[in-house]
């Protein structure tokens, strides 16, 4: 986790933006220092003194006026060139098919890996040192995909597809958030990018491809039957079970994820119980209704979800 991710770039794309920000900050800082310095100098040097005559009045100075038109113009040309360079680094030309498709929903992130046949939610795993092409879409309103340490901000617009390249130099967890106001729970539309060495990424990939196992008789099996009886399956998918809803996150590997409700809570059994008991108390306005489950039903469902590793 990084303190000020915008200034702590961890990918070539983010470094392109950071170096542009720092260059513009330096140029503007120099202009500010020059203007404040000259103003303070003039205030002191030419202040009114008792008995002093009126200073000489000057009307127009052609050379100075040309100078203070040409210098800012050249500075702007310089910033323009830096900007075009930064755009090329942060948004390299797109080629090939997307490695990842992220779809913004109110208020969570659907994450597909079309080449790998994986679907997950609210976390994006990537292998380090490799630029992955990400296609960005929206299911309802405008969202914005932003991982400050790794990539440029990019809008997700219904009916429009945008692309970014996502890459990380080092293994780590990089925080992401929705950067476009998208409704009541916009603040709880977060995600994590988990960058892993290639071998760990392949292990994760292999885990994610497996369908959900059928639990042995007991609480988990009762939970699985509840999942099918209680209309959970109308909105959620679990591969390996007759559940193929798409309104909410795919739950095939729910237990492998770190957060619940797009970052609103860590994914622990007690938190999962709270969420199932009344999602509206935790994330008011989210699509998941209060199903008025009994304590025993919540316990069985949590047992079942713990088997979805
Ligand atoms: Cu989605 Cu803000």
């Amino acid at each position: 986790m990084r303190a000020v991710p915008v200034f702590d770039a961890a990918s070539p794309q983010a470094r392109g933006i950071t170096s542009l920000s720092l260059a513009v900050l330096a140029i503007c800082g120099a202009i500010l220092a020059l203007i404040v310095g000259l103003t303070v100098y003039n205030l002191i040097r030419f202040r009114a003194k008792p008995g002093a005559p009126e200073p000489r009045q000057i009307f127009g100075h052609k050379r100075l006026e040309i100078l203070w038109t040409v210098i800012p113009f050249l500075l702007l040309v310089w910033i323009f060139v830096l900007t075009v360079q930064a755009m090329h680094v942060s948004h390299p030309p797109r080629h090939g098919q997307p490695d990842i498709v992220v779809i913004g929903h109110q208020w969570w992130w659907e994450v597909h890996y079309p080449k790998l046949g994986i679907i997950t939610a609210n976390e994006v795993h990537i292998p380090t040192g490799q630029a992955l092409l990400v296609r960005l879409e929206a299911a309802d309103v405008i969202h914005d995909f932003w991982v400050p340490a790794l990539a440029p901000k990019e809008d997700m617009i219904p009916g429009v597809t945008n692309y970014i390249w996502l890459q990380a130099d080092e293994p780590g967890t990089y925080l992401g958030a929705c950067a476009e106001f998208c409704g009541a729970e916009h603040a709880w539309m977060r995600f994590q990018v988990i960058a892993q060495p290639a071998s760990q990424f392949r292990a994760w990939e292999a885990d994610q491809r497996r369908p959900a196992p059928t639990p042995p008789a007991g609480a988990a099996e009762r939970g699985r039957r509840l999942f099918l009886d209680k209309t959970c399956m109308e909105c959620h998918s679990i591969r390996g079970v007759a559940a193929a809803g798409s309104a909410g996150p795919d739950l095939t590997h729910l237990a492998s994820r770190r957060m619940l409700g797009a970052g609103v809570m860590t994914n622990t059994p007690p938190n999962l119980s709270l969420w199932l008991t009344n999602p509206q108390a935790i994330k008011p306005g989210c699509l998941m209704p209060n199903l008025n489950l009994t304590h025993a039903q919540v316990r069985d469902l949590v047992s079942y979800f713990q088997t979805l590793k």
Side-chain angles (χ1 to χ4, degrees):
M1 307 274 177
R2 283 141 190 276
V4 187
V6 182
F7 289 111
D8 198 2
S11 74
Q13 293 80 3
R15 267 193 297 282
I17 295 171
T18 305
S19 42
L20 175 66
S21 310
L22 293 177
V24 173
L25 194 65
I27 293 169
C28 295
I31 294 171
L32 181 73
L34 182 73
I35 289 172
V36 171
L38 282 176
T39 306
V40 169
Y41 171 80
N42 287 328
L43 282 173
I44 295 168
R45 172 83 174 71
F46 300 106
R47 69 188 184 279
K49 294 180 202 101
E54 194 187 342
R56 189 162 61 89
Q57 300 296 301
I58 299 167
F59 300 96
H61 190 300
K62 207 180 230 167
R63 213 173 329 138
L64 257 183
E65 280 170 22
I66 289 173
L67 212 61
W68 70 47
T69 305
V70 169
I71 290 176
F73 176 76
L74 291 178
L75 280 176
L76 286 176
V77 169
W78 186 23
I79 291 175
F80 174 75
V81 171
L82 290 178
T83 303
V84 171
Q85 281 173 347
M87 285 165 73
H88 195 75
V89 174
S90 66
H91 257 299
R94 169 160 57 94
H95 57 80
Q97 294 302 311
D99 301 290
I100 305 176
V101 177
V102 181
I103 304 164
H105 292 257
Q106 284 174 315
W107 294 278
W108 61 283
W109 309 84
E110 184 179 345
V111 182
H112 291 247
Y113 293 74
K115 293 174 183 170
L116 306 178
I118 292 173
I119 302 178
T120 183
N122 303 328
E123 56 183 57
V124 181
H125 288 245
I126 58 169
T128 49
Q130 212 178 310
L132 301 187
L133 184 62
V134 184
R135 190 169 81 205
L136 300 171
E137 300 173 7
D140 34 44
V141 300
I142 300 178
H143 303 277
D144 189 295
F145 184 90
W146 192 30
V147 198
L150 297 183
K153 237 183 226 174
E154 189 69 57
D155 272 353
M156 311 168 101
I157 302 165
V160 174
T161 46
N162 282 330
Y163 291 83
I164 57 161
W165 288 98
L166 193 59
Q167 182 171 355
D169 301 330
E170 300 289 338
T173 300
Y174 303 90
L175 297 185
C178 179
E180 181 70 48
F181 182 72
C182 56
E185 294 294 319
H186 158 71
W188 284 117
M189 187 161 168
R190 303 199 179 174
F191 63 101
Q192 297 185 347
V193 173
I194 297 156
Q196 298 165 299
S199 59
Q200 280 180 29
F201 177 79
R202 275 197 300 276
W204 174 82
E205 177 199 331
D207 283 343
Q208 296 289 312
R209 287 169 100 125
R210 281 186 294 107
T214 304
E221 171 53 22
R222 286 198 301 277
R224 194 184 75 100
R225 280 204 311 273
L226 267 175
F227 183 84
L228 296 174
D229 293 344
K230 279 284 173 186
T231 68
C232 312
M233 54 180 282
E234 301 295 329
C235 293
H236 294 281
S237 290
I238 295 183
R239 263 180 309 118
V241 181
S246 61
D250 183 300
L251 302 179
T252 312
H253 295 283
L254 173 65
S256 75
R257 296 185 205 143
R258 299 176 180 186
M259 307 301 285
L260 291 174
V264 79
M265 293 194 291
T266 51
N267 187 5
T268 61
N271 282 345
L272 192 53
S273 302
L274 286 175
W275 177 265
L276 291 169
T277 303
N278 187 4
Q280 294 300 320
I282 292 159
K283 203 165 171 180
C286 76
L287 268 187
M288 180 152 160
N290 181 352
L291 293 166
N292 296 309
L293 301 167
T294 65
H295 281 307
Q297 287 173 326
V298 168
R299 201 185 51 223
D300 290 348
L301 278 169
V302 171
S303 298
Y304 175 48
F305 291 147
Q306 292 316 107
T307 69
L308 303 176
K309 294 232 161 55

